[in-house]
Each structure stands twice: as structure tokens, then as C-alpha cells.
Amino acid sequence: NAGVTQTPKFRVLKTGQSMTLLCAQDMNHEYMYWYRQDPGMGLRLIHYSVGEGTTAKGEVPDGYNVSRLKKQNFLLGLESAAPSQTSVYFCASSYHPPESSYNEQFFGPGTRLTVL
Amino acid sequence: DAKTTQPPSMDCAEGRAANLPCNHSTISGNEYVYWYRQIHSQGPQYIIHGLKNNETNEMASLIITEDRKSSTLILPHATLRDTAVYYCIVRPSWNSGNTPLVFGKGTRLSVIA
């Protein structure tokens, strides 16, 4: 099993450009998450999904959109990239729901995005 | 949300036990203690979690004090591959939109040959 994979691994964008980050998991997990990690800030939740066709806002959703058309995939879109969105983006999935006391999350390797 | 305090860095000799402390003096009765680690350039990896009893799995042991104000993660036989940043997380209750896992700065563990 590959676990959680992310595409691409690195990307450089110019301000105003758009892009989509792809997350895929082969563990048949219902729940998926997108985080960003900035130096000194820890991980912050952007959006999450509790099932195919559903998405919800996390802690820092502005400037991002997501879609979960297939259970195994969770896409993160930046419609008009800004330098403040320079970060490392992690996708994660879990078998148990986020409200569960047991919420082990499996993380992908991350996408390093730079917006100039 | 309960905050955690961890030493910024620690060294451990290869093959010895690594004991990583965490203080969480304001933890609430229903909040779990989670440990994750992040090896350089990789995503965080779940290690273990517990409420009040000591826990052990194939990766590590978690010792929680009786008053639950602190805990220790034990890697019984550290290897070079255990070099990583270790995060102690007190898991707050989930409210829609918030982050169930709040990662602080963690402890950077260096395992030395």
C-alpha cells in the first residue's frame, strides 16, 4: 500500500496563478484533511472532508477551495496564488472521524509551494 | 485548549532509551495526549496516544503521571532513523472547523551513533 501520496512535491508559482494539489489515499479512509505548515506555526487545518462529495472549512480556509469527487482523492485548489500562501502543504486521512477520541491521521509527504 | 511544553532539543545515544518529556499542566479530564513525530521533509507520523493509563505499542511507550499534568514518551532502543521532531499534543474536543491536532514546536531528537 502506498498510503497517502501527494502530487506535486514542489511547485513555484507567480502571484495570481492558479494550481491544484492532488492527494490520494489507498486505505479506504472516509476522512481526509488538508493542512499547511509554516515555520513556528505548527500545522493548521485548511479544509477537510467527511466523505465523498462533502467538504468543510477548517481553521484557515480563505484563498483555497477543495473537492472530493472520489473517496480516494482530495484536491486542494488555489485560484489566485498569493505570497502568503507560500508554505508546505500536507494531506492526511483517517479511518475514524475527526470528533473521535481516537483520530490517528496518516500524512502524505507534503508539497512545498513557493509563490513569488 | 491545554498547552504543552517540551524541551526544544535532546540527544540520545544509539541503542539507548530516549525519554521525551512533556508538560501539560492545564489538561482537562477528557483530553487525550497524542504523540506524533516528523522526520525531516516528511509528513507527521502517529506514534501513540493515551488518556490516563500507560500505553505501549510496537513503536514506543507512553507514561502519563497520575495527576495527568505531564507525560513521557519512551523509545526503548533508539536508532538513527528515530532522529526527528517529536510533538506532544493534547487533543482538544473537536468542533467543526477547528484543528483536532494542534502541533507546537516539539522536541528535536538527535540520535547519535
Side-chain angles (χ1 to χ4, degrees):
Chain A
N1 289 347
V4 179
T5 58
Q6 293 183 233
T7 308
K9 289 185 170 54
F10 302 94
R11 186 71 186 268
V12 178
L13 289 179
K14 293 181 179 179
T15 298
Q17 287 185 318
S18 63
M19 78 163 295
T20 300
L21 283 66
L22 171 64
C23 175
Q25 52 94 6
D26 61 2
M27 296 173 283
N28 202 34
H29 285 170
E30 202 71 41
Y31 311 97
M32 296 186 74
Y33 315 82
W34 274 107
Y35 293 88
R36 59 179 288 174
Q37 184 175 34
D38 302 306
M41 297 289 289
L43 271 71
R44 291 183 292 171
L45 183 65
I46 305 172
H47 286 279
Y48 65 100
S49 169
V50 297
E52 183 179 324
T54 74
T55 63
K57 293 180 179 180
E59 193 181 358
V60 288
D62 294 342
Y64 305 95
N65 57 76
V66 288
S67 63
R68 184 99 180 270
L69 299 179
K70 294 183 179 180
K71 185 177 183 178
Q72 63 267 34
N73 296 335
F74 195 26
L75 279 64
L76 178 71
L78 286 74
E79 290 185 347
S80 180
S84 60
Q85 294 178 303
T86 294
S87 188
V88 181
Y89 291 86
F90 289 102
C91 175
S93 69
S94 68
Y95 177 78
H96 296 278
E99 65 269 22
S100 168
S101 59
Y102 184 58
N103 183 237
E104 176 184 356
Q105 295 189 18
F106 296 82
F107 285 81
T111 294
R112 188 172 296 275
L113 175 66
T114 301
V115 183
L116 303 176
Chain B
D1 299 344
K3 293 183 178 178
T4 61
T5 303
Q6 298 178 254
S9 63
M10 293 180 63
D11 292 339
C12 178
E14 189 178 19
R16 305 295 294 268
N19 298 288
L20 292 92
C22 179
N23 285 320
H24 32 79
S25 58
T26 60
I27 192 171
S28 299
N30 61 350
E31 290 180 322
Y32 282 73
V33 180
Y34 275 70
W35 284 84
Y36 276 74
R37 73 180 183 183
Q38 189 169 20
I39 296 171
H40 182 61
S41 298
Q42 295 183 21
Q45 177 190 22
Y46 166 85
I47 301 174
I48 199 167
H49 78 287
L51 183 62
K52 50 186 174 183
N53 297 322
N54 298 337
E55 302 288 344
T56 296
N57 63 20
E58 64 278 4
M59 289 184 69
S61 295
L62 174 60
I63 308 298
I64 303 174
T65 57
E66 193 169 336
D67 62 8
R68 303 210 325 123
K69 293 185 177 182
S70 65
S71 60
T72 301
L73 179 75
I74 301 172
L75 308 179
H77 305 286
T79 70
L80 297 178
R81 286 177 293 181
D82 291 321
T83 293
V85 178
Y86 287 77
Y87 298 98
C88 170
I89 300 165
V90 171
R91 190 176 183 283
S93 299
W94 168 261
N95 292 313
S96 177
N98 76 352
T99 303
L101 299 175
V102 179
F103 289 78
K105 296 185 177 180
T107 295
R108 184 172 299 277
L109 175 69
S110 298
V111 180
I112 303 167

